[in-house]
């Protein structure tokens, strides 16, 4: 397979059989929505009941060997010493200038065994950087295409897992290694929707049967298969960052207001000095939310203007909120723009009124 060939999920045939609208996502052909629902119905299913996403495009890397945890702790922003085995942690891989190469989740099995789930497009680069820096005895394996990841999200997700005899009810940002039908499976209490839910990491060969079983177990709860369109509207309502939009090599954790995932007191991590300097300078734009009060749907790269028509920011993500039934956006805004301020968004030459609002735009139950 050449690097330019579009990759497919192990569930590709399931999606096409359901008539899913497919699109390229970071080099992977993935479902955007299904004809049985559509983005709004799929979004609502997750907020109110339960939905199942195929997120097998997400990366998968294994870091092992004596001192693996300490090695990663000297590379990534967050402090792995804050968690214990069986827990997961959101963190970032930065370059020396403080830009974000990727944001990812680290699953700590033991001091010598850490699973990483990076973003699809950035997995190879994260692995390359780690391999370049790794001391002798530490192995970094890119097992991106060896595993499938299913995200079961929504307030009825525990009921679905109980039907299947799978672990559920463990703490938010924790995981359990288990078996299903005699095959290994990791059940992670994580997700990207803001709702209570789980991400299930399985071997590629086991994914189709697992998908079928979950679809069947969701039926009594009016659950639905969901595409990446609903995943995007769900995460935007929560104000969750998307790499390439709210985080990038040009948008640092300071600018994105993700400093809560930075171990500022750690002795070192990639980009620490640059980030400390930027935090001290207090000059960069900062992430914020916009609730549209006029008529219009904001989109990325549109300008945000003040009452005098001066540019005071730029949209990083914009969409229609199915929950609120109005437009919402995430943006980088000048530091003088305070919460509650009225601004306008230049939507293809038309000024649409909006109000600055700190995300989340809706209340989720992820950590309940």
């Amino acid at each position: 397979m050449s690097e330019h060939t579009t990759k497919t999920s192990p569930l590709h045939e399931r999606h096409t059989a359901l008539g899913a609208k497919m699109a390229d996502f970071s080099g992977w052909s993935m479902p955007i929505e299904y004809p049985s629902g559509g983005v709004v119905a799929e979004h609502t299913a997750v907020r109110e009941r339960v939905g199942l996403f195929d997120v097998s495009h997400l990366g998968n890397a294994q870091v092992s060997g004596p001192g693996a945890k300490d090695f990663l702790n000297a590379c990534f922003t967050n402090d792995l010493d804050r968690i214990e085995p069986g827990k997961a942690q959101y963190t970032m891989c930065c370059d020396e200038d403080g830009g974000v190469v990727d944001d990812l989740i680290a699953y700590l099995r033991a001091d010598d065994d850490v699973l990483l789930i990076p973003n699809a497009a950035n997995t190879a680069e994260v692995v390359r950087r780690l391999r370049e820096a790794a001391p002798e005895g530490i192995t970094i394996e890119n097992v991106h295409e060896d595993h499938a990841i299913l995200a079961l999200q929504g307030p009825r997700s525990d009921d679905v897992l109980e039907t299947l005899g799978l672990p559920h009810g463990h703490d938010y940002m924790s995981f359990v290694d288990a078996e299903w039908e005699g095959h290994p499976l990791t059940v992670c209490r994580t997700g990207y929707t803001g709702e209570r839910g789980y991400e299930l990491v399985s071997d590629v060969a086991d994914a189709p049967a697992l998908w079928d079983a979950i679809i069947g177990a969701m039926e009594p709860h009016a659950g639905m298969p969901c595409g990446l369109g609903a995943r995007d509207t769900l995460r935007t309502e929560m104000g969750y960052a998307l790499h390439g939009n709210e985080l990038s090599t040009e948008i640092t954790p300071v600018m994105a207001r993700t400093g809560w995932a930075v171990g500022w007191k750690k002795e070192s991590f990639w980009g620490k000095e640059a980030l400390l300097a930027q935090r001290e300078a207090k000059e960069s734009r900062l992430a914020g939310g916009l609730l549209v009060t006029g008529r219009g749907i904001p989109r990325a790269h549109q300008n945000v203007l003040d009452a005098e028509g001066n540019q005071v920011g730029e949209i990083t993500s914009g969409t229609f909120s199915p929950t609120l039934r109005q437009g919402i956006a995430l943006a980088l805004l000048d530091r003088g723009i305070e919460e509650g301020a009225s601004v306008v968004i230049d939507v293809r030459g038309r000024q649409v009124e909006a109000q600055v609002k700190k995300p989340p735009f809706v209340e989720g139950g992820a950590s309940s």
Side-chain angles (χ1 to χ4, degrees), residues 261-282:
V262 177
W264 296 105
K265 295 181 180 180
K266 288 199 302 181
E267 182 177 344
S268 65
F269 58 84
W270 294 341
K272 179 181 179 180
E273 297 307 318
L275 291 174
L276 284 171
Q278 187 179 52
R279 187 176 69 159
E280 182 66 24
K282 298 181 180 179

Side-chain angles (χ1 to χ4, degrees), residues 13-258:
E13 292 183 1
R14 295 297 195 274
H15 304 318
T16 55
L18 290 170
K21 178 182 178 182
M22 307 296 289
D24 180 86
F25 194 89
S26 300
W28 290 70
S29 177
M30 299 299 292
I32 302 302
E33 61 180 338
Y34 296 87
S36 58
V39 171
V40 173
E42 292 165 15
H43 176 112
T44 303
V46 172
R47 286 275 180 255
E48 297 180 355
R49 304 182 305 278
V50 65
L52 178 64
F53 300 82
D54 176 14
V55 290
S56 299
H57 63 296
L58 293 178
N60 206 297
Q62 186 69 42
V63 182
S64 55
K69 185 195 82 168
D70 292 339
F71 164 65
L72 291 174
N73 213 22
C75 300
F76 297 156
T77 59
N78 214 333
D79 189 352
L80 278 169
D81 285 335
R82 294 172 177 170
I83 66 171
E84 59 190 23
K87 300 290 186 180
Q89 184 181 76
Y90 176 83
T91 189
M92 289 165 283
C93 172
C94 290
D95 60 26
E96 62 181 10
D97 296 323
V100 181
V101 175
D102 195 30
D103 63 328
L104 62 155
I105 296 183
Y107 297 87
L108 180 65
R109 286 195 169 98
D111 287 353
D112 60 355
D113 186 0
V114 185
L115 172 69
L116 304 178
I117 305 290
N119 285 293
N122 303 325
T123 300
E125 179 60 15
V126 171
V127 168
R128 184 193 70 79
R129 288 173 180 256
L130 290 173
R131 283 176 174 169
E132 232 175 51
E136 186 176 352
I138 292 180
T139 302
I140 296 95
E141 297 179 88
N142 186 347
V143 291
H144 192 166
E145 297 181 47
D146 295 342
H147 296 86
I149 307 177
L150 305 184
L152 181 68
Q153 301 284 295
R156 305 305 296 271
S157 55
D158 286 67
D159 298 325
V160 174
L161 293 183
E162 183 173 11
T163 298
L164 297 174
L166 286 171
H168 58 88
H170 39 292
D171 292 341
Y172 182 55
M173 296 301 286
S174 69
F175 63 96
V176 176
D177 288 321
E179 284 191 356
W180 180 75
E181 301 288 321
H183 299 280
L185 179 73
T186 302
V187 181
C188 311
R189 181 84 155 76
T190 49
Y192 194 50
T193 65
E195 292 302 330
R196 184 180 181 88
Y198 300 82
E199 291 175 306
L200 287 70
V201 183
S202 75
D203 290 343
V204 161
D206 302 328
L210 180 61
W211 170 274
D212 293 344
I214 295 174
I215 291 291
M218 288 197 307
E219 286 184 4
H221 310 290
M224 303 181 73
C226 300
L228 298 185
R231 191 168 181 261
D232 191 60
T233 56
L234 288 157
R235 71 95 189 168
T236 304
E237 285 188 345
M238 299 308 299
Y240 292 164
L242 173 66
H243 192 273
N245 292 47
E246 286 70 47
L247 293 166
S248 70
T249 51
E250 287 74 43
I251 304 175
T252 70
V254 173
M255 299 167 69
R257 295 187 189 266
T258 53

